[in-house]
Amino acid sequence: MPEEKKVVRKKIHATGQMQKIMADYFYELNEAAKSSAPKIAWCTSVGPAELLRALGFLVHFPENHGAMLGATRMATDMIPEANAIGYSPDICSYLTADVGAYLKGITPLSRAYPGIETVPRPDVLVFNTNQCRDVQDWFAWYSRELNVPILGIETHRGVGDVTPAHVQSIAEQLKALVAPLEEIAGRKLDPQRLKDVVALSRQCSDLWKEVLDTAAHKPSPITFFDGTIHMGPAVVLRGTQPAVDYYKVLLAELKERIRNNEAAVAGERFRLYWEGMPIWGRLSAHSKLFAELDTCVLASTYCNSWIFSAFDPEDPFTSMARAYTELFIVRSDPAKEAYIRRMIDFFKVDGVIYHDAKTCPNNSNCRYGMAQRIDEQTSTPSLIINGDLNDLRLLSDEQTKTNVEAFIEQLEEQH
Ligand code: SF4
C-alpha cells in the first residue's frame, strides 16, 4: 500500500486571538438580547453596518450564521425544514439552512459558545440587495415571523462603470434609513460617531487588503482556506477597534513568514485563484486535497469582497454608497472579467478554480462563458467545480478530487 503523503499546512498563531474577539462579539450580542440593551440590528453581510453601529446597534449577520451552519456541516439537515414551508431547495442555502435552523430551534453558536442558546433576537432587520434578492426574502421571512421592522436598500445590479448617478441614488437611500433607524434606536445619529465608525471600517478594510495581498509573495504565506476563517472580524466587526487591532497582529505574522520565506503550503509548486463561494463543509478537506498536490489556493474574489477602499470618513454617505456599489458581485460581466484578469496577474497564479454553487447563481460566475473567455485572454487554465456553499447533497467529493487531480496533472504538463 502506498504510504500516505505527509502534508504540511502551516498554522496561523493569531488564530487564538481571533477566536477570542469572535467569542466576545457573540457573547456581547447574547447579553444584549437577554437584557434588551443595546438594541440589535440584523444586517446583510455587505449592508450598511457602519450606519447601524453609529446609531448604537449591535449587529448580527445572518449570512455569518449561515456559513457557521455550513462549516459545522449542520446545514444539510436544516435545509429541508425551510423547504417544507415553501422555500425551494434551489434558492440560497444560507437562507434555507438559517431559516431551517430557526425552525428546529438549533444554532451552531451553542456548540461553539457554551451558554448561548439562540441567535440574538433583532429589533430591526436591514438589508442591501447589492448581493442578491435572496437576502431581502430572507429578512422578510424573519420580519413576519418575529414581527420586527424591515428596512433596506435596493441596489443597481450588473453595473459596468460606477457612475455618480448610481452612487447618489444609493446615498439617498442610505440617508432615508436614518430617521426610521433613529426611532428604533431611540437616539439621534451623531455625525461625528458615524465618521469615527467609517474611519474604523476603512482601517479594517485596508489592513484586510494588506493581509490578503501578502499572497502575492512566492511562496504564499496564506491560503484561501485560511482567509475564509480569518475574514470573520472583517465581516462581523468592521467599524470596531478590535477588528483593526486583530488585523495588525495577523499582518505582522504574515510579514514575518514572508521575511522567513515560509510557505502556507510547504513545497508550493502551483498557485491557484478561487472564484465563487467556498464550500463551507469541505474547507478542511479541500485545504488538504490541494496541499497534498503541493498546490496553494491562495487568493479569491470571495475574501476580497470585504475590501471597501472607497470608505471616506469625511464623506460617509457618499463613500458608503460607492463602496457598497463597487463590489464585485454588483458588477457587469465585463467589469468582473477585468477584475479577475487583474487578480490573476497580481497574484501570479497558474490557474483558476470556478465554483459553480448550485444555490447561489449570484456568486457563480462561470455559467455564461466567463471562464472560457478569461482562459483565452490570459492563457491561464481553469477548472469548474460543481457544488454548493452549504448543501452537501449537491457535490460529489470523488468527482471533485478526480477533477482537481486531473487539473494539476494538466498544469504539470504545461510547466
Ligand atoms: S450571494 Fe449567494 S450565498 Fe450570498 S446570500 Fe445571496 S444567494 Fe445566498
Side-chain angles (χ1 to χ4, degrees):
M1 220 170 111
E3 226 179 277
E4 201 176 310
K5 182 172 173 181
K6 192 168 176 332
V7 185
V8 181
R9 289 168 294 168
K10 232 178 141 43
K11 290 213 163 54
I12 293 181
H13 298 304
T15 304
Q17 186 166 336
M18 183 198 64
Q19 286 166 339
K20 164 87 175 58
I21 64 168
M22 293 297 281
D24 290 348
Y25 160 76
F26 285 116
Y27 280 119
E28 187 183 22
L29 274 166
N30 192 50
E31 283 309 308
K34 278 193 198 155
S35 57
S36 303
K39 296 265 172 78
I40 294 171
W42 286 14
C43 184
T44 51
S45 66
V46 278
E50 291 70 23
L51 183 57
L52 297 168
R53 285 201 199 288
L55 280 159
F57 289 101
L58 297 186
V59 189
H60 168 78
F61 295 86
E63 285 147 83
N64 170 252
H65 190 246
M68 287 179 83
L69 284 159
T72 52
R73 290 181 288 284
M74 295 165 74
T76 306
D77 292 336
M78 305 296 137
I79 291 166
E81 298 290 321
N83 302 154
I85 60 159
Y87 285 76
S88 162
D90 291 337
I91 64 166
C92 174
S93 58
Y94 276 167
L95 184 169
T96 48
D98 182 68
V99 168
Y102 172 87
L103 292 169
K104 275 184 123 148
I106 289 172
T107 171
L109 292 172
S110 303
R111 276 198 206 163
Y113 307 109
I116 298 183
E117 284 164 16
T118 62
V119 291
R121 195 183 192 286
D123 296 286
V124 64
L125 305 152
V126 184
F127 65 85
N128 187 339
T129 57
N130 49 6
Q131 48 200 120
C132 61
R133 66 161 279 177
D134 298 57
V135 289
Q136 184 174 4
D137 288 284
W138 185 353
F139 280 27
W141 185 82
Y142 278 110
S143 175
R144 290 188 296 272
E145 173 71 19
L146 302 172
N147 196 23
V148 170
I150 180 169
L151 302 167
I153 296 166
E154 299 192 12
T155 299
H156 311 276
R157 308 264 307 149
V159 174
D161 291 334
V162 177
T163 66
H166 291 124
V167 174
Q168 196 189 338
S169 73
I170 302 300
E172 291 305 321
Q173 291 190 58
L174 279 165
K175 286 178 190 163
L177 292 179
V178 173
L181 285 172
E182 283 179 335
E183 197 170 320
I184 296 161
R187 65 163 81 172
K188 285 278 173 204
L189 177 66
D190 173 355
Q192 185 55 48
R193 175 75 189 132
L194 180 60
K195 286 184 179 189
D196 293 346
V197 173
V198 171
L200 283 168
S201 259
R202 174 65 191 271
Q203 282 180 56
C204 173
S205 161
D206 288 352
L207 285 161
W208 178 233
K209 180 175 187 312
E210 272 197 79
V211 162
L212 295 174
D213 284 356
T214 61
H217 184 265
K218 282 190 177 184
S220 172
I222 186 170
T223 69
F224 158 64
F225 306 104
D226 297 326
T228 59
I229 305 301
H230 289 267
M231 67 190 243
V235 177
V236 302
L237 283 164
R238 64 181 188 271
T240 72
Q241 192 63 46
V244 171
D245 295 343
Y246 175 65
Y247 287 120
K248 286 182 182 163
V249 172
L250 178 59
L251 183 60
E253 182 174 342
L254 296 174
K255 284 185 171 173
E256 177 70 15
R257 281 191 184 181
I258 289 176
R259 272 193 295 281
N260 298 332
N261 228 23
E262 289 176 71
V265 172
E268 171 190 296
R269 277 192 307 149
F270 298 113
R271 300 164 61 83
L272 301 182
Y273 185 83
W274 184 282
E275 179 20 66
M277 298 294 294
I279 301 173
W280 287 106
R282 292 290 181 267
L283 286 184
S284 175
H286 287 172
S287 163
K288 187 163 177 277
L289 168 66
F290 286 100
E292 278 172 353
L293 297 163
D294 307 322
T295 297
C296 187
V297 184
L298 50 88
S300 66
T301 316
Y302 184 72
C303 291
N304 286 359
S305 297
W306 281 268
I307 296 171
F308 306 107
S309 303
F311 282 156
D312 175 2
E314 291 313 311
D315 193 1
F317 285 100
T318 310
S319 70
M320 282 191 291
R322 178 170 287 284
Y324 289 125
T325 307
E326 282 179 347
L327 282 177
F328 179 90
I329 197 166
V330 186
R331 310 299 292 280
S332 65
D333 273 15
K336 287 180 176 174
E337 287 170 29
Y339 178 86
I340 295 170
R341 287 198 303 269
R342 283 202 303 281
M343 294 302 108
I344 288 172
D345 195 38
F346 178 76
F347 288 108
K348 302 180 275 285
V349 295
D350 303 297
V352 180
I353 305 279
Y354 291 87
H355 173 206
D356 189 343
K358 170 86 170 133
T359 71
C360 180
N362 311 285
N363 225 354
S364 296
N365 292 298
C366 51
R367 294 184 180 181
Y368 299 90
M370 186 186 289
Q372 287 74 4
R373 287 193 293 278
I374 292 178
D375 287 7
E376 273 173 28
Q377 290 156 1
T378 63
S379 303
T380 307
S382 66
L383 171 70
I384 295 174
I385 293 178
N386 292 298
D388 191 54
L389 49 138
N390 261 5
D391 191 339
L392 297 178
R393 295 166 299 183
L394 300 175
L395 61 112
S396 158
D397 291 321
E398 270 314 302
Q399 194 65 55
T400 302
K401 186 169 187 287
T402 306
N403 290 350
V404 167
E405 286 172 353
F407 184 59
I408 299 302
E409 269 178 35
Q410 181 192 338
L411 293 179
E412 277 165 350
E413 281 163 16
Q414 285 175 358
H415 277 69

